[in-house]
Amino acid sequence: MAYKDFRDFLDTLRKEGQLLTIEDEVMPEPDLGSAGRAINNVSDKSPALLFTNIHGYQNASVAMNVIGSWPNHALMMGLPKNTPVKEQFFEFARRWDNFPVPVKRMDSAPFQEVEINQDVNLFDILPLFRLNQYDGGFYIDKACVISRDPSDPDNFNKQNVGIYRIQVKGRDTLGIQPVPQHDIAVHLRMAEERGENLPVALAIGCEPVITTMAAAPIGYDQSEYEMAGAIQGEPYKVFTLPGTNLDVPWGAEFILEGEILAGVREFEGPFGEFTGHYSGGRSMPVIRIKRVYHRKNPIFEHLYIGMPWTETDYMVGVNTCVPMYQQLKDAFPNEIVAVNAMYTHGLVAIISTKKRYGGFAKAVGMRAMTTPHGLGYCKLVIVVDETVDPFNLPQVMWALSTKMHPAHDVIILPDMSVLPLDPGSNPAGISHKMILDATTPVAPETRGHYTQPLDAPLATEKWEKIFQDLLSNQ
Amino acid sequence: MTTCPRCDSTKAEAVAKSPVQGAWTVYTCPVCFYTWRSTEADKFTEPSKYEPSFKVNQADIPNAIQVPTVPSRTNH
Ligand SMILES: Cc1cc2nc3c(=O)[nH]c(=O)nc-3n(C[C@H](O)[C@H](O)[C@H](O)COP(=O)(O)O)c2cc1C
Ligand SMILES: [Mn+2]
Ligand SMILES: [Zn+2]
């Protein structure tokens, strides 16, 4: 089952009681950013927000927090909204294995209803607003950014779809933050080495599966569209923008078409980031927008980002755990049970594994740090037994408190790579990393009094079932 | 021309007026790229009230580190 477009998903959220429409007038600042922050403070089952009356605008609609809770994430996958996170993880991993699913090409797209190709003024076209108090400006932070590999432009698999923060700096000018490890930075480097601008398209207001894949660390030559097809179980619909070789999500509300200017860097930021800290001001690439398409009565989608948890954390939770899980399973297929890399995008990760022999769990921790995502994250990896659910933090704390011996189980690796946005890294991009082995020692590592683990009383499972039924009928 | 609340340049200009007439104006600064709306609290719109630790010194702007750095041209 697949959502046709963004509006189709909003309709499902509405039917499921997971969309709150706010028709009272709100101020662009500080109301919209504050509401995006507040909705995640008050609930972990929070609905999406749709604002339809924004001071000074006529007919503007702003959607936020669309994937901003586990129920909304489950609905993104077409699962019942109360599906536990661990089950969402295993279902995501199962569908991941169906990659690649070829795309479906469309001849026209709804966003062709309105086309603006001169005197583009993004401040007039989009209901932009400031999120956090000391953000340098108004941002677009949930656009799928599409680009092609300039050295291999006909290769569909190397076409990239990613989410990168975008500052609106002038009527037709944007700033973008391509972290050097990410695919768009690879495309940009090639273009700049040739002295060429890099054509890009920004798709705003997409159905949630492509947004989830755009934020997932998949391989350079793996197509986000073909992975979206695997996750939604149906070919993903794309439309080739006229006059370009860029394939964009067919159902998008807005498309911004332009180029990253070769060799240009300009002051950008600061911006409140997912680390819960501002990023500082840096010199970053610039995009010039030439053309904008949008649907009639378009909905501008944005999100709140800041100290976890926010919508960003739900967006980069399961889609980051699963590739790391797959990569660890490639190395240790019979041992790896589950991976929870959801804390600050995997700066802290928890891995549940069986052990082959003493020392094995520590090797698993080191392997996590050498996965593509781990190179910039995994500052702390906690390894737990296969019987511990890594998504259940009280169980993880129990493992740490009883299985971990500080003299044997704490491994510190000096001066490893980490993403520069980690505010503790010093210099930016370098940090020590740590493995905490909270698994039960196995031979030849015999230590501690672990031979008498406590089992639950015999009929516990029967009683769990009884209570679940009784409670769900209340 | 208007004064930028963040870097104090006098080159900021209006880039948009509200679709509903008279509700607000958006300004941007071409020096530090700060953007603000006239209806924001005065600590975001007035140079003397902008949070000092987030002020931008114009002299520092050319020294901001590049992310990502510009590679050198190669011939293809
Ligand atoms: C809300 C949000 C904002 C993000 N901002 C950035 C950003 O500014 N720069 C960046 O390189 N990655 C950013 N990311 C992370 C990338 O989208 C993510 O790592 C993705 O896997 C990159 O894909 P790629 O490997 O195809 O480039 C952001 C993710 C989300 C969800
Ligand atoms: Mn990619
Ligand atoms: Zn300024």
Side-chain angles (χ1 to χ4, degrees), chain A residues 94 97 174 220 224 246 265 314 363:
Chain A
R94 194 185 65 71
D97 289 335
L174 308 171
Y220 177 71
E224 281 83 2
L246 299 171
R265 298 290 184 274
Y314 292 103

Side-chain angles (χ1 to χ4, degrees), chain B residues 62-75:
Chain B
N63 305 326
I65 58 164
Q66 293 186 349
V67 178
T69 50
V70 179
S72 40
R73 289 276 289 272
T74 57
N75 292 319

Side-chain angles (χ1 to χ4, degrees), chain A residues 29 121 128 130 193 265 283, chain B residues 15 35 37 40 65 68 74:
Chain A
E29 299 83 15
N121 185 347
L128 299 163
R130 188 189 317 284
E193 282 173 354
R265 298 290 184 274
S283 206
Chain B
V15 285
T35 304
R37 193 184 324 262
E40 291 187 79
I65 58 164
T74 57

Side-chain angles (χ1 to χ4, degrees), chain A residues 83-110:
Chain A
T83 308
V85 186
K86 193 172 137 191
E87 273 175 45
Q88 294 191 40
F89 164 82
F90 281 114
E91 179 60 15
F92 202 95
R94 194 185 65 71
R95 297 187 194 176
W96 185 279
D97 289 335
N98 297 331
F99 172 84
V101 173
V103 295
K104 180 166 180 195
R105 295 189 171 277
M106 309 296 281
D107 296 332
S108 62

Side-chain angles (χ1 to χ4, degrees), chain B residues 4-9 12 29-34 36 56 58 61:
Chain B
C4 169
R6 189 169 75 163
C7 80
D8 299 319
S9 99
C29 167
V31 176
C32 77
F33 304 99
Y34 182 66
W36 74 99
V56 169
Q58 292 181 34
I61 293 175

Side-chain angles (χ1 to χ4, degrees), chain A residues 27-29 55-58 121 123-124 128-130 133-138 167-169 171 178 189 192-195 263 265-267 269-270 278 281-285, chain B residues 6 13-20 23-24 26 28 31-37 39-40 43-44 50-51 54 56 61 64-74 76:
Chain A
M27 291 301 287
E29 299 83 15
H55 180 71
Y57 288 100
Q58 258 146 3
N121 185 347
F123 291 103
D124 286 339
L128 299 163
F129 55 94
R130 188 189 317 284
Q133 298 190 58
Y134 297 108
D135 287 354
F138 303 169
Q167 182 182 353
V168 183
K169 301 169 104 181
R171 291 179 177 86
R189 195 192 64 232
E192 291 190 315
E193 282 173 354
R194 293 159 173 256
R265 298 290 184 274
E266 218 177 58
F267 196 72
Y278 286 94
R282 304 273 158 82
S283 206
M284 296 203 197
Chain B
R6 189 169 75 163
E13 54 159 10
V15 285
K17 297 217 177 291
S18 52
V20 175
W24 43 254
V26 173
T28 65
V31 176
C32 77
F33 304 99
Y34 182 66
T35 304
W36 74 99
R37 193 184 324 262
T39 45
E40 291 187 79
K43 66 176 188 163
F44 307 113
Y50 201 78
E51 165 60 37
F54 282 91
V56 169
I61 293 175
I65 58 164
Q66 293 186 349
V67 178
T69 50
V70 179
S72 40
R73 289 276 289 272
T74 57
H76 285 268

Side-chain angles (χ1 to χ4, degrees), chain A residues 141 160-161 163-165 177-179 182-184 214-217 224 303 305 312 315-316 345:
Chain A
D141 206 25
N160 189 61
V161 186
I163 295 183
Y164 314 99
R165 83 181 199 208
Q177 170 179 257
V179 169
H182 290 162
D183 293 347
I184 195 168
E224 281 83 2
L303 49 62
I305 182 166
T312 305
M315 283 181 65
V316 297
H345 202 184

